Amino acid sequence: MSVAESALAAAVLEQEAENATITQGVVESNHTGFSGAGFVNYDNVVGSSVEYTINADAGGEHDLTFRYANGTTVDRPVSVTVDGTGAQAVSFPGTGAWTTWQTRTARVTLKAGPNKIRATATTANGGPNADKLTAVLAGPPDNEAPTPPRDLRFVSSTHNSVSLRWEAATDNVGVVGYDVYQHGQLVTSVGNVLTATATGLRADTEYDWTVFAKDAAGNVSQASNNVPGRTRPAPPDGQAPTTPGSLRSTGTTTTSVTVAWTASTDNVAVTGYEVHVDGALKQTADGTATSSTIAGLVGGQEYRVKVRAKDAAGNLSPFSNEIAVRPGQGGGTGIPNPGTVKQVVGGVDVAWGTAFLPDGSALVTERETFNVLRVTESGTKTVLGKVPGAQGTGGEGGALGIEVSPTWATDRFIYVYHTYSGGNRLVRATFDGTRLANWTTLLDGVPKNRYHNGGRLRFSPDGRYLFISTGDAQNGNNAQNLNTNAGKILRVHPDGSIPADNPFPGKAIWSYGHRNVQGLDFDSQGRLWASEFGNSRQDEVNLITKGGNYGWEPCEGTTGNCAGTVPPKKTWSTSQASPSGLTIINDHVFVATTVGQRIYRMRIDASGNLVDQQIYFQGSYGRLRTVEVDKEGDIWLSTSTDKDGTAGNDRIMHIDIVYEGGSRLSSRAITD
């Protein structure tokens, strides 16, 4: 360690909450992830407090970092004083779970020697669970991230948990904690320790683990190595769920039938339902569901439907009663209903971006191979070449979004967003029908990480502007920082220049406070909609406004500290969605999901809200990445089997869209 590093390290002071002076609170250790010997559980009263003693080496401004957990959705603010003076309010919003630990920071002036720092609850909810306080002598801004944790390894597992260990990261000031992710989704956070146990997992399931280090300034490292870790089989459970009751048809369209049933029960828990059509498994439903919409049917044809429940041990209930159903007329004029599904092409590898040429063929990016493909509806697949300089991240980076120039007839431009050695960037090439050439960088240096790279491209309906979604590069601070393009939706001219009427002069930023946006599209009124991956609680769909702050972080969906931010139009549990692609047909929003393995369809009503949600194809095709409407008003859907390490086992499918009442497409694709 250098002399400068030693001086900085000496300025780091901390005290565990359990060693502080506690008023109306108790020391507990029943929630994992704390540092030291435990944490303080404030009593739920105004005035409960924890008073820390910090012995500062020198007087001056210090940054106080409080490590805490708040498993509720209600903020638990405290008043922070130093030696009884200088009260300031500090917000402690929900962290998603009592085992998820996060930090909040306040700047105060300390004197040399001992300082009494009291954190006093100001509401009847009391304070958060308090783990420790760290004080750092304020100096020049700390923009240096820790090094990645090393040698992440699987230690052990139970049927619902996995234990991990790693070697320490280093930092110019000091590492304060680690975040543990499972394939891009936060599972747990720990303090400055080198082990963690992730709980609440599915039995007999392999997970993909990664760890990130963070410092007191909020800087987050690049990813550790990733390592698989499988849970053990569920404990012996020979009791199957009860039979779903009273299966019945509750609605039809010309391409679908909705069925409902009475919920099953189980000695442990019902984890899902299987929906069988004509004797074969067609799709699944969540364990809490009591209805399912079966799409992709042929109007007038009779189908036989039955349902059974399942539990975590794999026990299956007896089948419900079997019913005969027949798709019929339903809905209103112009409602786009998913009809029959056919495979366009197989043997692709994480087909991430899709954009259509005037002749109806599609240009497709493969995230992992960096190839740009040309795919025709008849199934012809041609490799046009690789995106120069593209790099993967072992997660969510690579060759991502693609768009075709709105002035294709005169310029023959295509646009691609991809990861490279220096971050993420927007590039442009020309396509003469045979090869891609004249690659030009239009915007670069967008921060990258293993996960959270964003990547969707979409031209405005008038073709004057190109919108770009970015991720926060695994660092939530980026989303609120207007000096970086990470965690934003960007707006540029087709040549990459910045429009003069962007909300922040000289910046490409159109909206901010985003975690990881992977879906963009415009409705019939020219309004931009975006789908966004949540952290551990809520995924969301947003109606994007100029200069809008969408809350991340500390706001996730509708949870946490969301004051002054634009609320989402739709949220789902992260276990039911992880929304990637988004497309709009006749003001109906279609969203493809990876974890949820389903398509959501919602109608935009006259007030700009999303209503009449339908769920299609749940569990039928696995993880889904991209939905795009083609020139004929049908949907191309790509799968995303990106967790199995096997190349070329994804496919692109064509979903025939049947418009109730005979009205065809009236939205963006007509003018593309």
Side-chain angles (χ1 to χ4, degrees):
M1 180 181 292
S2 69
V3 173
E5 289 172 330
S6 297
L8 283 168
V12 179
L13 309 160
E14 65 183 34
Q15 185 180 25
E16 296 287 343
E18 65 270 20
N19 298 325
T21 300
I22 303 163
T23 302
Q24 293 180 293
V26 294
V27 175
E28 294 182 348
S29 58
N30 56 318
H31 299 306
T32 60
F34 56 83
S35 62
F39 57 86
V40 172
N41 181 356
Y42 279 73
D43 288 351
N44 294 344
V45 294
V46 174
S48 53
S49 68
V50 178
E51 185 177 84
Y52 305 86
T53 300
I54 295 294
N55 284 288
D57 297 323
E61 286 193 330
H62 285 68
D63 288 324
L64 304 180
T65 299
F66 296 86
R67 188 168 189 268
Y68 80 102
N70 179 2
T72 74
T73 59
V74 178
D75 190 14
R76 296 185 172 218
V78 304
S79 174
V80 175
T81 60
V82 179
D83 294 332
T85 64
Q88 62 173 292
V90 178
S91 171
F92 288 90
T95 60
W98 293 110
T99 55
T100 299
W101 300 86
Q102 295 183 4
T103 59
R104 301 293 281 172
T105 300
R107 178 160 290 191
V108 300
T109 299
L110 302 182
K111 66 180 185 296
N115 297 263
K116 299 293 185 182
I117 299 168
R118 183 185 290 257
T120 304
T122 59
T123 73
N125 294 312
N129 281 359
D131 186 35
K132 69 177 178 179
L133 171 65
T134 303
V136 179
L137 182 64
D142 176 14
N143 297 317
E144 184 174 332
T147 62
R150 296 175 293 106
D151 191 24
L152 176 65
R153 53 205 183 272
F154 170 80
V155 176
S156 62
S157 66
T158 70
H159 73 281
N160 63 0
S161 70
V162 165
S163 294
L164 305 166
R165 182 180 295 275
W166 58 89
E167 300 303 315
T170 60
D171 186 66
N172 62 315
V173 176
V175 173
V176 298
Y178 296 88
D179 290 334
V180 179
Y181 276 75
Q182 194 287 120
H183 203 72
Q185 189 170 72
L186 178 67
V187 175
T188 189
S189 297
V190 296
N192 194 12
V193 296
L194 303 180
T195 61
T197 297
T199 60
L201 307 178
R202 297 186 302 274
D204 199 22
T205 301
E206 184 166 292
Y207 292 89
D208 180 35
W209 300 102
T210 313
V211 176
F212 299 82
K214 55 190 178 184
D215 63 19
N219 299 307
V220 178
S221 74
Q222 292 291 304
S224 71
N225 58 301
N226 58 316
V227 63
R230 190 177 191 90
T231 51
R232 299 176 66 83
D237 173 15
Q239 184 171 332
T242 61
T243 306
S246 303
L247 183 65
R248 58 204 181 275
S249 174
T250 58
T252 64
T253 73
T254 54
T255 65
S256 69
V257 173
T258 299
V259 297
W261 58 88
T262 302
S264 298
T265 60
D266 186 67
N267 62 314
V268 179
V270 174
T271 58
Y273 292 90
E274 294 182 349
V275 180
H276 289 246
V277 177
D278 289 344
L281 176 62
K282 176 72 172 179
Q283 61 194 51
T284 62
D286 295 330
T288 57
T290 55
S291 66
S292 182
T293 297
I294 308 163
L297 306 180
V298 177
Q301 182 173 321
E302 183 177 280
Y303 298 87
R304 310 287 301 183
V305 179
K306 56 186 177 181
V307 176
R308 64 182 176 183
K310 58 184 178 181
D311 63 19
N315 296 309
L316 296 169
S317 77
F319 278 109
S320 69
N321 56 302
E322 185 175 71
I323 61 173
V325 298
R326 191 186 302 271
Q329 188 67 29
T333 301
I335 294 178
N337 291 317
T340 55
V341 181
K342 68 176 182 180
Q343 180 171 304
V344 176
V345 68
V348 294
D349 192 18
V350 190
W352 206 98
T354 302
F356 294 96
L357 293 169
D359 66 1
S361 64
L363 298 180
V364 176
T365 53
E366 289 186 312
R367 188 185 70 190
E368 304 299 310
T369 68
F370 323 131
N371 284 332
V372 178
L373 312 176
R374 187 176 190 176
V375 179
T376 67
E377 191 168 348
S378 64
T380 300
K381 178 179 67 175
T382 305
V383 178
L384 302 179
K386 294 184 183 293
V387 179
Q391 290 185 358
T393 63
E396 295 173 345
L400 302 173
I402 188 168
E403 270 281 59
V404 172
S405 170
T407 53
W408 170 263
T410 57
D411 58 36
R412 313 286 287 189
F413 287 149
I414 69 158
Y415 296 78
V416 175
Y417 185 82
H418 73 90
T419 314
Y420 72 109
S421 59
N424 294 291
R425 66 186 175 195
L426 172 70
V427 296
R428 186 182 70 194
T430 55
F431 179 49
D432 63 6
T434 303
R435 67 187 188 97
L436 300 168
N438 303 317
W439 290 92
T440 303
T441 298
L442 303 181
L443 182 148
D444 66 2
V446 179
K448 71 173 182 178
N449 212 314
R450 173 164 292 156
Y451 304 111
H452 304 186
N453 294 293
R456 196 66 62 185
L457 302 180
R458 188 73 76 189
F459 272 103
S460 58
D462 60 11
R464 297 176 58 198
Y465 306 105
L466 178 59
F467 288 80
I468 309 159
S469 77
T470 73
D472 68 4
Q474 210 75 39
N475 186 337
N477 289 345
N478 284 336
Q480 294 292 325
N481 182 358
L482 295 178
N483 292 316
T484 174
N485 283 334
K488 311 295 190 297
I489 293 175
L490 310 178
R491 176 184 184 246
V492 298
H493 287 300
D495 64 0
S497 62
I498 297 173
D501 62 343
N502 272 11
F504 307 102
K507 299 181 184 295
I509 298 168
W510 184 253
S511 63
Y512 66 106
H514 298 292
R515 182 175 179 271
N516 192 24
V517 172
Q518 289 191 3
L520 294 174
D521 205 2
F522 289 89
D523 64 17
S524 64
Q525 297 184 43
R527 298 175 298 187
L528 180 62
W529 294 78
S531 55
E532 182 167 346
F533 283 76
N535 191 38
S536 58
R537 302 201 71 178
Q538 291 185 337
D539 298 319
E540 56 195 76
V541 174
N542 289 295
L543 176 58
I544 303 301
T545 58
K546 179 179 180 179
N549 178 2
Y550 288 82
W552 177 253
E553 55 179 359
C555 177
E556 179 185 355
T558 59
T559 66
N561 184 6
C562 301
T565 65
V566 182
K569 293 295 185 178
K570 184 65 180 179
T571 62
W572 303 282
S573 163
T574 53
S575 65
Q576 296 177 320
S578 290
S580 184
L582 179 152
T583 197
I584 299 177
I585 307 175
N586 284 6
D587 283 343
H588 286 73
V589 178
F590 290 78
V591 178
T593 66
T594 55
V595 172
Q597 299 187 17
R598 67 196 78 176
I599 291 177
Y600 289 105
R601 190 199 73 187
M602 298 152 288
R603 177 174 61 85
I604 305 171
D605 70 9
S607 300
N609 295 315
L610 297 178
V611 298
D612 301 338
Q613 174 177 285
Q614 297 291 323
I615 300 173
Y616 301 118
F617 308 119
Q618 181 174 337
S620 297
Y621 306 111
R623 292 164 58 88
L624 305 177
R625 177 64 58 182
T626 296
V627 284
E628 290 290 349
V629 57
D630 66 13
K631 303 300 179 181
E632 297 177 345
D634 296 325
I635 281 177
W636 287 36
L637 170 68
S638 68
T639 67
S640 191
T641 315
D642 51 356
K643 297 174 65 177
D644 62 355
T646 302
N649 63 347
D650 285 312
R651 49 187 172 154
I652 299 171
M653 291 168 290
H654 176 279
I655 303 175
D656 182 48
I657 298 297
V658 177
Y659 294 80
E660 295 289 352
S663 176
R664 294 293 290 174
L665 192 68
S666 62
S667 59
R668 171 187 52 81
I670 285 291
T671 57
D672 271 0

